[in-house]
Amino acid sequence: MKLRILSIFLAFAITPAFGATYDLEVGPVTLDVSGRDIGGFAINGQVPAPLLRFTEGEDLTINVTNTLAVDTSIHWHGFVLPFEQDGVPGMSFDGIKPGETFTYRFKAPKAGTYWYHSHSGLQEGAGMYGPIIIEPNAREPFRYDRDYVVVLSDWHEDSPMQVFRNLKRSPDHYNGIQRTVGEFFRDASDMGLGGAIDDRLAWGEMRMMPSDISDVQGYTYLMNGMNAGQNWTGLFEPGERVRLRFINASAMTFFDVRIPGLEMTVVQADANNVQPVTVDEFRIAVAETYDVIVRPRDDKAVTIFAETMARDGFARGTLAPRMGMEGEVPELRDPPRLTMADMDHGSMDGMDPAGMDPAGMDHSTMDHAAMGHDMSAMMSGEGDDPFYAPGSGLEPDAANGGKFLSLADLRAQDPLYDERPYDREIKLRLTGNMERYMWSINDKKLSEAEPIRLKYGERVRFTFINETMMAHPMHLHGMWKIVDVGAGKWNPLKHVLTVPPNVTISADVEVDAPGQWAFHCHLMYHMAAGMFRKVIVEGGPDNTAMIDPELEKLWGMANADAAAKAHH
Ligand SMILES: [Cu+2]
């Protein structure tokens, strides 16, 4: 008996965060950020939803009440938690019916910048997303004086359902940068007419349009819910270190982010600390997060400039010593153009930093900077980044000619898993038919495919082979992807792995989370079109007890939770 009391006492001592209760309400909202009132979905009436700050290891109780006329859900993006709490209707639970309250209960995961969003229908694209900060229990390996969340998002005047219908009817409906006849003839004179014609034929065979850098444009781009004119502003004292927690909560938009005049030191990616790397610019894919530290020393304002990858617009905000100040706002650059050079699906040589590496090779001694390259690309001065297909025209450059962050630069600060060989490899070809707006994995959409079955305790290598002309930010729920950047035990952990066109990237997954999990492209309309798999993890401990049963009894939670449990 004495022992039991002691153990309860210890449990309290180890978990100082007692566990607070949070109440969220999902309901309709009207927003005017594009020049007129448009209806959407909000959490607690806000777009973005309120910032949630939890402490690592905190026992969370989150009541989500649905006041909509349709089902809803909230997914905790990037969280490692029991699968019943993951918030994906049809996989983790039944969803939250109109008028109902669902109680989520789980422990806050490890410290970092995260976000949350609806996983029902296309609600995320209509405003249901918000930031989360998990405060650490221990000291962080970097210093800062203040921090701001910077939520980037895209807002369309057409409802997400309307956008999806239009894409299905005519996939180029929202693609404003299709190649024109004029461009074709410019190509013709550059390449010799024959080359241009071959180029055209090749694109036709692939059923892709040559400018499918992004398939939905015409959004209003937002920073913390404000458009460029509303100019979200964060204050600083000159000389302070400011931590900016970038979250891309867009439905469909990649951003290239820079702060002209300031270097940014990247210290975290997807909630995992990385060895600091100083850059002038970085790309943030849909659903990724990057934490950077900047140190403005002068008594003047600087612009946070988040230009879309397709260069059809930007989100903009300001860091300033005083409210009302503004920095210079740069011009949009020209959009990148896909070219056919080196786009050979048959052989992936030279553009395949991970896949060319047979199992058993010592990763830590591989020099991808040298090996991942195509020689012609190196000689043309292109191809610094092994994670873009050489000659594709897609590799980004920093606006000031400086350093642009590459996936290859990311190194774990403190590896979470021991290094070990993977047990087996699963190849996933990312596939699509742009003419019919169909997106799939291994040519099958969710409804046509068997779930991917994994065994608890194994380490599986997922090799993603992108056979389409668009980048796909692939998101696995519940488990980290250890991305093979050739750094061995220092390979970084990510929850979203972007696979650019015609590139192959591998990531290992330590299968340590029982249950059923969603695995999908995070471009909302690609997900909706079928680029999605259910992953079933078989075996392992029964992971359904979220809270120590002893404590649960002590707090009388077992009864209080009866109604919520009846939903499962
Ligand atoms: Cu996709």
Side-chain angles (χ1 to χ4, degrees), residues 439 471-474 521-523 526 531:
W439 297 101
H472 302 284
M474 300 303 295
C521 176
H522 220 290
L523 297 181
H526 292 195
M531 199 177 239

Short mmCIF file of all heavy atoms in Angstrom, two decimals, residues 439 471-474 521-523 526 531, ligand 1:
data_model
loop_
_atom_site.label_atom_id
_atom_site.label_comp_id
_atom_site.label_asym_id
_atom_site.label_seq_id
_atom_site.Cartn_x
_atom_site.Cartn_y
_atom_site.Cartn_z
N TRP A 439 -5.48 11.55 -58.75
CA TRP A 439 -4.20 11.42 -58.05
C TRP A 439 -4.22 10.12 -57.27
O TRP A 439 -5.23 9.76 -56.67
CB TRP A 439 -3.96 12.62 -57.13
CG TRP A 439 -3.88 13.90 -57.90
CD1 TRP A 439 -4.87 14.83 -58.05
CD2 TRP A 439 -2.77 14.37 -58.67
NE1 TRP A 439 -4.44 15.85 -58.86
CE2 TRP A 439 -3.16 15.60 -59.26
CE3 TRP A 439 -1.49 13.88 -58.93
CZ2 TRP A 439 -2.31 16.34 -60.08
CZ3 TRP A 439 -0.64 14.62 -59.74
CH2 TRP A 439 -1.05 15.84 -60.30
N ALA A 471 5.00 18.46 -57.15
CA ALA A 471 5.57 18.03 -55.87
C ALA A 471 4.43 17.59 -54.95
O ALA A 471 3.39 18.24 -54.89
CB ALA A 471 6.34 19.18 -55.25
N HIS A 472 4.64 16.49 -54.23
CA HIS A 472 3.61 16.00 -53.32
C HIS A 472 4.16 15.95 -51.90
O HIS A 472 5.10 15.21 -51.62
CB HIS A 472 3.13 14.61 -53.74
CG HIS A 472 2.59 14.56 -55.13
ND1 HIS A 472 1.35 15.06 -55.46
CD2 HIS A 472 3.14 14.12 -56.28
CE1 HIS A 472 1.16 14.91 -56.76
NE2 HIS A 472 2.24 14.35 -57.29
N PRO A 473 3.58 16.71 -50.99
CA PRO A 473 4.00 16.66 -49.57
C PRO A 473 3.31 15.48 -48.88
O PRO A 473 2.14 15.56 -48.51
CB PRO A 473 3.52 18.01 -49.02
CG PRO A 473 2.41 18.45 -49.93
CD PRO A 473 2.59 17.76 -51.25
N MET A 474 4.04 14.39 -48.71
CA MET A 474 3.45 13.15 -48.20
C MET A 474 3.48 13.13 -46.67
O MET A 474 4.51 13.37 -46.05
CB MET A 474 4.19 11.94 -48.77
CG MET A 474 4.16 11.86 -50.30
SD MET A 474 2.48 11.82 -51.02
CE MET A 474 1.89 10.24 -50.39
N CYS A 521 -1.09 12.45 -49.48
CA CYS A 521 -0.56 13.74 -49.93
C CYS A 521 -1.33 14.82 -49.20
O CYS A 521 -2.55 14.75 -49.07
CB CYS A 521 -0.75 13.88 -51.45
SG CYS A 521 -0.22 15.50 -52.06
N HIS A 522 -0.62 15.85 -48.72
CA HIS A 522 -1.29 16.90 -47.96
C HIS A 522 -1.82 18.04 -48.83
O HIS A 522 -2.36 19.01 -48.32
CB HIS A 522 -0.39 17.44 -46.85
CG HIS A 522 -1.14 17.71 -45.57
ND1 HIS A 522 -2.04 18.74 -45.44
CD2 HIS A 522 -1.15 17.06 -44.39
CE1 HIS A 522 -2.55 18.72 -44.21
NE2 HIS A 522 -2.03 17.71 -43.55
N LEU A 523 -1.65 17.95 -50.16
CA LEU A 523 -2.38 18.88 -51.02
C LEU A 523 -3.84 18.44 -50.95
O LEU A 523 -4.16 17.30 -51.28
CB LEU A 523 -1.84 18.83 -52.46
CG LEU A 523 -0.38 19.27 -52.62
CD1 LEU A 523 0.04 19.20 -54.08
CD2 LEU A 523 -0.17 20.68 -52.08
N HIS A 526 -5.51 16.73 -53.88
CA HIS A 526 -4.88 15.46 -54.23
C HIS A 526 -5.35 14.38 -53.26
O HIS A 526 -5.64 13.24 -53.65
CB HIS A 526 -3.36 15.57 -54.19
CG HIS A 526 -2.77 16.46 -55.25
ND1 HIS A 526 -1.45 16.46 -55.57
CD2 HIS A 526 -3.36 17.38 -56.05
CE1 HIS A 526 -1.23 17.34 -56.54
NE2 HIS A 526 -2.38 17.92 -56.84
N MET A 531 -5.09 10.28 -53.49
CA MET A 531 -3.67 10.02 -53.18
C MET A 531 -3.56 9.80 -51.67
O MET A 531 -3.13 10.68 -50.91
CB MET A 531 -2.81 11.20 -53.65
CG MET A 531 -1.34 10.86 -53.81
SD MET A 531 -0.42 12.26 -54.46
CE MET A 531 0.24 11.56 -55.94
CU CU B 1 -0.12 15.56 -54.15
#
